Amino acid sequence: DYAAVDAALEKAAALVDADYTAASWAKLQAAIEAVVRDLSADEQETVDGYAAAIEAAISALIPKAVEMELTISTGMGCVFISC
């Protein structure tokens, strides 16, 4: 039964690689690529391991740092303090 694997793969498919560090994204891709289809019913533990590995890799994704530019205007006068 690959239902848990398929659910994890759907979750992974909704993610965008550009949002995460290359190293953490590579771990997710490795977990996805490790999935072997058509295992027998007596190998369900292995199939469940695939799902767990994908879920763990998703949880371990590291977002890329967001760089923000802050501009301070000197002509604003007093905003939050008494003048």
Side-chain angles (χ1 to χ4, degrees):
D1 178 17
Y2 283 82
V5 172
D6 292 336
L9 289 171
E10 280 185 41
K11 192 184 296 186
L15 301 172
V16 178
D17 64 334
D19 293 341
Y20 303 97
T21 63
S24 67
W25 188 260
K27 290 178 184 176
L28 173 59
Q29 293 308 302
I32 291 169
E33 291 169 8
V35 174
V36 176
R37 294 286 179 165
D38 300 324
L39 295 180
S40 64
D42 62 336
E43 296 175 287
Q44 186 62 48
E45 188 174 314
T46 300
V47 174
D48 294 341
Y50 296 148
I54 295 167
E55 291 287 348
I58 290 171
S59 295
L61 285 171
I62 301 168
K64 286 185 178 176
V66 177
E67 294 183 17
M68 298 176 69
E69 184 176 320
L70 178 61
T71 303
I72 300 173
S73 174
T74 58
M76 293 185 64
C78 297
V79 178
F80 294 108
I81 58 174
S82 296
C83 294

